[in-house]
Amino acid sequence: MNFIVAGAVKAVKELYGQDIAEDVINLQETRKEFEGQVTIVVFPVVRFSKKSPEETGNDIGTFLQQNVAEVVGFNVVKGFLNLSIAESYWVNLFNDTLLASDFLMAKPNGQKVMVEYSSPNTNKPLHLGHVRNNLLGYSVSELLKADGYEVIKTNLVNDRGIHICKSMLAWQKWGNGETPESTGLKGDKLVGNYYVVFDKEYKKEINALVADGQTEEEAKKNAPLIKEAQQMLLQWEQGDAAVVGLWEKMNGWVYSGFDVTYKKLGVDFDKYYYESNTYLLGKDTIEEGLAKGVFFKKEDGSVWIDLTADGLDQKLVLRSDGTSVYITQDLGTAQMKYDDFKMDKSIYVVGNEQDYHFKVLFLILEKLGKSWAKGLYHLSYGMVDLPSGKMKSREGTVVDADDLIAEMVDTAKQKTEELGKTNDFTEAEKTELYDTIGLGALKYFLLKVEPKKRLLFDPAESIDFQGNTGPFIQYTHARIKSLLSRAAYQFAQADYANIQLTSTELDMIMLLAKYPTEISNAAKAYSPAFIANYLYEVAKLFNKFYHEVPPIIKEEDTAVKQHRLNICKITADVIKSGMTILGIRVPERM
RNA sequence: GCCUCCAUAGCUCAGCUGGAUAGAGCACCGGUUUUCUAAACCGUAGGUCACAGGUUCGAAUCCUGUUGGGGGUACCA
C-alpha cells in the first residue's frame, strides 16, 4: 500500500505546495459500513492544506483517482477519505504474492536468538503454570524462526538446592525403597510425593516446637528435619558419594518423568544447562565488577551494588561468607551462554514474579559494560490462577500437567465420538486425532491470551471446543483439506478475465495478505497471542465465505472454481503455518 | 511504606505506535442441514471501556490522581 502513501504525499505537494513526511499519511482499513478498502485519515493533513477536512479529503481523493491507476473511486465521510482500489490490484496481489511459492517461507535475517524456557525444579511434577511457560517458550521460538531468526532453545534445569534435598530426605526416611518401577508411578510424581511428605512432617515438627514455646520463626529454623536437609545440601556440595548417588538416582527419575510430559506437549530443547554445573559461576563477574567499581564491599565482606540512582535498591550480589546468591549465578550463567553462542538476543521466559530480579540482572550487566546486555529480554508472563487462588505445589492445590492433558484428550475423544466423525478411522488414526484436538484446545486456550496477563483457569468449567478455540481452527483446516482432495485440486493460477470477486473473497485476500506482517508484529511483541487471534479471524472469515458461495466442487465455470479453490488452498496453508507457530498440529480430517 | 503489573458485556478475552457507531467467543433467546464436514453459518439481546481530572479537532488507547486486585521489595531460588 506504499503507492497510496506516496501518491498522497505527492498530492499534498502539488495541491498545497507542502512537503510532508510519509507518516503524516495515516492508512487504515476501511470500516465495513463504508465503500472502499483503504482509508486515509485526513485530519493530520489539514494543517498543511489549510482547508476543512472534507475539502482536503475531496482534493486528495480527486488527485489520487486521476494520478494513481489503482485508485478507481473515493468518498469522504467526515475526516475520512475512503478509497476504492481496482479489483485487478487485489487479483494481482493474490496471484503474485499469496500464490508465490515463498509466501510462507521465513526470510533469514542473519540474527541469532536464544530462548530459555521451562527451567523446572527437579523436586516435583509440572503443573499448569509450567505448561503455560513451556507452550509460550516453544511458541515464541517458532515465532522468531518464522520471523527469520536462528533460534537456540535452552532449558536451565534447577537440579540442586534445598528443595531437592527435602524430597531426597523424605524418601530416605519414609520411602521404603520405592521406585517408579515398584510403584508404577512416573518418576517426577514419585519424587513430588516425597516433597509433600517432607512438608507435612516438617509442619508437624514446627507445631510441636511452637507448642513448646518457640516462636514460629524459631521453630522453622530449629526443626530437626530442616537442619537435616541443610546438612544434606552441604554434603552434596562436598561431593559426598552417598548423597550425590541418591541425588543422581532421584533426578534421573524426575528427568524420565519430564521427558514424557515434554513429549506430550511437543516441546524440545537444543541445549540443556544444569544448575549443578552453573551454581558456582559468577564469582569472576563479581571480581570484575569490584575492579570496575560497579560493586562495593561492606565491612563484613558481602558485595553489593547500589542501584538507588536508577530508582531501585541496594542489592546483594555475594554473601559475606563468599557464597553465591541467585543473582550471582545468573550473572555468570548469562556470560557463559553468551560465550557459548554469541547470540544477538537472549529471551528469558520466566514468570512476572521475577520482574524485579531480571530488571536488576540486566542493569548490572549493562553497567559492567557487556555489549550483549542490550539484547537481553525478560518475557514476563502472568501466573495461572485457579478460582481458589494461586497454585501451590506443597499444598497440593495444583492442576497437574499430565492429568490435564489426559483429561483434554479424553474430552476430545468423547466429543468426536458423539459427533460420529471417526467411524471410518483406524485405531491409530483415532488416537492421533484425539491427541491433536485435545492438545490443540489446551494450547490455544493458553496461548490466545496476551502473555503478560494473568490467566484464570476454572477446572470445573472445561475448556471449550467451539467458537474461538483451537478445535474450531483445526476443523476449518480439515474441512478445507477434505474439500481440496474431493475436488482433486491442482495448483494453477485462475483466469480472471470474467471473474467478479465477491466482497467476502476480497476480504479474504486482504486478510490473508496480512499474514507476514502479523508474524513480524507478533515477533516484535514476543506474543503468540497475535497469531492466535489472527488465525481465528482467518478461520471465521473462511467459514463465512464457505457458506456464502455455492458448492465449489459443483462449480461449472472452471475459472471461478480454480479461483475459489486457490483461496481455500492458501487459507489452509496459512492456518497450518500459523498453528505450527503455536505448536498446534492440524488434522487433514476430523 | 516504596516499586511494578493489571482493571473493557454475566463469564473468558480482542482492540492500546490516539481516529468513524468499542468487537469476538461462551452462556441466553430465535433461525439455517435432499447442495463441498452443523466442532459450522445467520440473527436478537447484552457496555458509565473501574472512578475523577488533563492533553487533543478526536481518548478504551497518552498524562496525573483515586479506588480495587496480583506480584515484588530476603545474606531463598
Side-chain angles (χ1 to χ4, degrees), chain A residues 191-206:
Chain A
V191 173
N193 287 347
Y194 285 100
Y195 186 61
V196 174
V197 168
F198 178 94
D199 199 57
K200 223 172 71 193
E201 297 295 330
Y202 179 38
K203 279 199 174 123
K204 275 192 213 162
E205 290 186 355
I206 292 173

Side-chain angles (χ1 to χ4, degrees), chain A residues 135 138-144 146 447 515 519 528 531 576-584:
Chain A
L135 297 181
Y138 179 83
S139 177
V140 164
S141 303
E142 291 301 309
L143 178 57
L144 291 169
L447 288 173
Y515 184 56
I519 288 181
I531 302 294
K576 184 170 188 170
S577 163
M579 290 292 257
T580 302
I581 289 175
L582 299 180
I584 301 176

Side-chain angles (χ1 to χ4, degrees), chain A residues 90-110:
Chain A
W90 302 110
V91 168
N92 289 340
L93 177 73
F94 186 66
N95 279 335
D96 299 345
T97 308
L98 306 200
L99 289 183
S101 58
D102 65 349
F103 179 55
L104 296 172
M105 289 200 325
K107 293 159 192 70
N109 65 10

Side-chain angles (χ1 to χ4, degrees), chain A residues 83-194:
Chain A
L83 302 171
S84 297
I85 306 299
E87 192 167 297
S88 61
Y89 171 80
W90 302 110
V91 168
N92 289 340
L93 177 73
F94 186 66
N95 279 335
D96 299 345
T97 308
L98 306 200
L99 289 183
S101 58
D102 65 349
F103 179 55
L104 296 172
M105 289 200 325
K107 293 159 192 70
N109 65 10
Q111 293 210 43
K112 212 193 268 187
V113 59
M114 175 179 282
V115 179
E116 180 196 299
Y117 70 101
S118 199
S119 305
N121 289 349
T122 57
N123 64 326
K124 54 178 191 275
L126 305 173
H127 61 59
L128 182 52
H130 301 114
V131 174
R132 188 179 198 190
N133 177 301
N134 280 285
L135 297 181
L136 245 185
Y138 179 83
S139 177
V140 164
S141 303
E142 291 301 309
L143 178 57
L144 291 169
K145 275 187 208 168
D147 196 37
Y149 287 90
E150 181 191 338
V151 178
I152 307 138
K153 290 178 274 191
T154 63
N155 188 350
L156 173 56
V157 183
N158 194 354
D159 62 344
R160 55 129 249 145
I162 192 74
H163 48 281
I164 288 119
C165 291
K166 289 177 180 176
S167 292
M168 285 160 61
L169 189 62
W171 182 83
Q172 224 173 29
K173 285 181 175 295
W174 297 289
N176 297 318
E178 274 188 10
T179 65
E181 292 73 32
S182 77
T183 56
L185 278 176
K186 261 178 97 227
D188 52 334
K189 295 283 183 344
L190 180 70
V191 173
N193 287 347
Y194 285 100

Side-chain angles (χ1 to χ4, degrees), chain A residues 162 165-166 168-169 172 198 223-240 243:
Chain A
I162 192 74
C165 291
K166 289 177 180 176
M168 285 160 61
L169 189 62
Q172 224 173 29
F198 178 94
L225 264 179
I226 196 72
K227 293 203 153 170
E228 250 184 288
Q230 281 160 353
Q231 178 59 28
M232 199 178 231
L233 180 59
L234 216 60
Q235 287 174 310
W236 181 88
E237 288 187 11
Q238 290 160 351
D240 181 289
V243 171

